[in-house]
């Protein structure tokens, strides 16, 4: 049985890869035009369901054997890249934390896939939804099962991309695309913290492996603090804690199944998982843990007040999610990591059920929206603050989104007004029409550049177009054959050694 457990542990990479295979097959069907109409929907849904269930079955088998023989732990499968000081590997962590959350995520993912097949029936973006959902399931399993921070970051980014795609699912609506951009840009701040922490881990801990965290006592407290702060920023952004909370309310523009699995049950807890994984580092810096408690308490107060003034079910649910996740951050800051893990699992199961029922509750309460409590209505200042969500949306728009959009407009202006004019507007070449000028520019430098481009274009036109099948083309082909022959000779070991020896003679 122990050998069977080791065998299954070595095949755990199938858990994230199976959804990716379903994504590839569905994508090929879409590109070939074989995924249109009602008749094509069952195959797409069946592929996604089988992929999700396959990963769930594999994890359940590992769980059952691990209960008898113990968790397999860290499994290094292959070398990725690296140098003499550090190495990046394809490794997986199969300890109780990863197995519990990986199995829970696989179960929720399978249920959501089954639910979505009926919920999105005859939707124009049916296949697109399952492609993004499968990409997310793969990315989330990479986050939870990765044995090192670098592979976890790959999954982290996959989750962010799929979140962006599903928030903007209704791409023809400006509100949906705007909210997708808002959420994407806000989460990039957390990604920057993750990258910073990975770089520091490689420099100070000698690698990205989670097992390297056991050497946290070997580095100074200052270095430990900087390393942890990078990961904490990533966790706060992904789990929508202050000051990054504003993005999650805009993320509800996506379809209900994606809102359920992304922001109700799974992805919103990724930051909590990251901090649970970083427990050996956190205990070395009590001041950072105190900071987690403070941030968690402030976020809980914010979510509680804002949730009291919501008039629709999904908005009320999302503030309830933020409130509960904030309590998990408080528990981690106090050192109650087991309590935080149990809270996470119970909350994920409860929220997935609530979010999937949200459309029904929305129809029931549409005529009778819940009213805020009297004590809040009577306090005009506090009521206004809660109604405006502490103005965090406007603040994030001003500090993050607008500068990013301004930068992109500046880059576009530079390309349009300077780079394009310097090298010639695209599509104005004269490969097929030599009588038309290649570029149109003003000034001596521009004219010199235009003359050079025109000369090169004439050579290309005569050799490659007019010379097709003629002497010029035959000459080029013959020259290429000679060069390939010489290259083949130089690749032989004897000629390679002669080249090395000749190089040493020249140097000496």
């Amino acid at each position: 049985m122990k050998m069977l457990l080791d065998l299954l542990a070595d095949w755990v990479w199938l858990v994230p890869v199976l959804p990716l295979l379903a994504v590839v097959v569905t994508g090929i069907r879409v590109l070939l035009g074989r995924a249109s109409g009602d008749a094509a929907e069952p195959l797409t849904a069946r592929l996604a369901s089988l992929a999700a269930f396959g990963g769930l079955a594999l994890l359940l088998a590992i769980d059952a054997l691990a209960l008898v023989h113990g968790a397999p732990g860290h499994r290094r499968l292959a070398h990725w890249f690296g140098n003499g000081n550090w190495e990046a590997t394809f490794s997986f962590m199969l300890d109780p934390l990863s197995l519990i959350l990986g199995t829970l995520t696989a179960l929720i993912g399978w249920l959501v896939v089954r639910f979505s097949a009926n919920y999105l029936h005859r939707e124009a973006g049916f296949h697109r939804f399952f492609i993004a959902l499968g990409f997310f399931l793969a990315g989330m399993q990479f986050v939870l099962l990765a044995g090192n921070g670098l592979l976890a970051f790959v999954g982290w980014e996959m989750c962010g991309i799929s979140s962006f795609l599903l928030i903007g699912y209704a791409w023809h609506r400006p509100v949906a695309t705007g909210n997708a951009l808002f959420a994407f840009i806000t989460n990039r701040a957390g990604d920057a913290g993750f990258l910073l922490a990975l770089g520091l881990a490689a420099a100070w801990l000698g690698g990205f492996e989670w097992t390297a965290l056991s050497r946290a006592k070997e580095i100074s407290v200052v270095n430990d603090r900087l390393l942890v702060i990078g990961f904490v920023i990533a966790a706060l952004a992904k789990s929508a804690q202050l000051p990054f909370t504003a993005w999650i309310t805009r993320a509800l523009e996506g379809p209900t199944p994606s809102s359920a699995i992304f922001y109700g049950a799974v992805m919103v807890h990724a930051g909590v998982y990251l901090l649970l994984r970083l427990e050996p580092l956190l205990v070395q810096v009590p001041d950072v843990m105190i900071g987690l408690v403070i941030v968690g308490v402030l976020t809980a107060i914010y979510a509680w007040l804002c949730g009291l003034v919501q008039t629709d079910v999904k908005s009320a649910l999302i503030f309830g999610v933020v409130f509960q996740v904030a309590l998990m951050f408080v528990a981690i800051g106090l050192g109650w990591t087991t309590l935080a893990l149990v809270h996470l699992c119970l909350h994920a199961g409860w929220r997935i059920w609530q979010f999937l029922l949200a459309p029904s509750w929305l129809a029931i309460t549409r005529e009778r929206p819940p009213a805020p409590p009297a004590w809040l209505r009577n306090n005009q200042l506090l009521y206004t603050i809660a109604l405006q969500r502490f103005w965090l949306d406007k603040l994030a728009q001003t500090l993050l989104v607008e500068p990013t959009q301004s930068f992109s407009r500046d880059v576009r202006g530079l390309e349009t007004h300077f780079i394009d004019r310097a090298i010639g507007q695209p599509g104005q070449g004269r490969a097929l029409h030599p009588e038309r000028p290649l570029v149109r520019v003003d000034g001596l430098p521009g004219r010199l550049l235009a003359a050079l481009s025109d000369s090169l274009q004439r050579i290309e036109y005569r050799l490659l177009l007019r010379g097709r099948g003629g002497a010029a083309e035959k000459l080029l082909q013959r020259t290429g054959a000679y060069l390939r022959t010489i290259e083949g000779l130089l690749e032989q070991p004897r000629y390679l050694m002669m080249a090395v020896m000749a190089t040493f003679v020249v140097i000496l």
Side-chain angles (χ1 to χ4, degrees), residues 237-300:
K238 190 65 77 175
S239 292
Q241 300 295 288
L242 290 177
F244 306 103
T245 313
W247 72 265
I248 198 168
T249 55
R250 294 175 176 247
L252 298 179
E253 281 292 328
T256 294
S258 65
S259 298
I261 193 171
F262 277 67
Y263 319 114
V266 176
M267 195 181 77
V268 73
H269 296 114
V272 179
Y273 163 77
L274 183 61
L275 295 183
L276 291 174
R277 178 61 65 197
L278 293 172
E279 183 184 6
L281 287 175
L282 281 173
V283 296
Q284 304 297 321
V285 281
D287 51 342
V288 176
M289 297 182 69
I290 294 173
L292 289 176
V293 174
I294 295 173
V295 171
V297 169
L298 292 177
T299 305

Side-chain angles (χ1 to χ4, degrees), residues 204-251:
W204 296 336
L205 297 178
F208 307 105
E209 304 297 319
W210 293 135
T211 53
L213 300 181
S214 60
R215 299 196 298 272
K217 295 182 180 179
E218 300 177 5
I219 63 177
S220 66
V221 176
V222 175
N223 292 350
D224 193 354
R225 184 178 294 109
L226 290 174
L227 180 62
V228 169
I229 287 175
F231 283 121
V232 166
I233 292 174
L236 293 176
K238 190 65 77 175
S239 292
Q241 300 295 288
L242 290 177
F244 306 103
T245 313
W247 72 265
I248 198 168
T249 55
R250 294 175 176 247

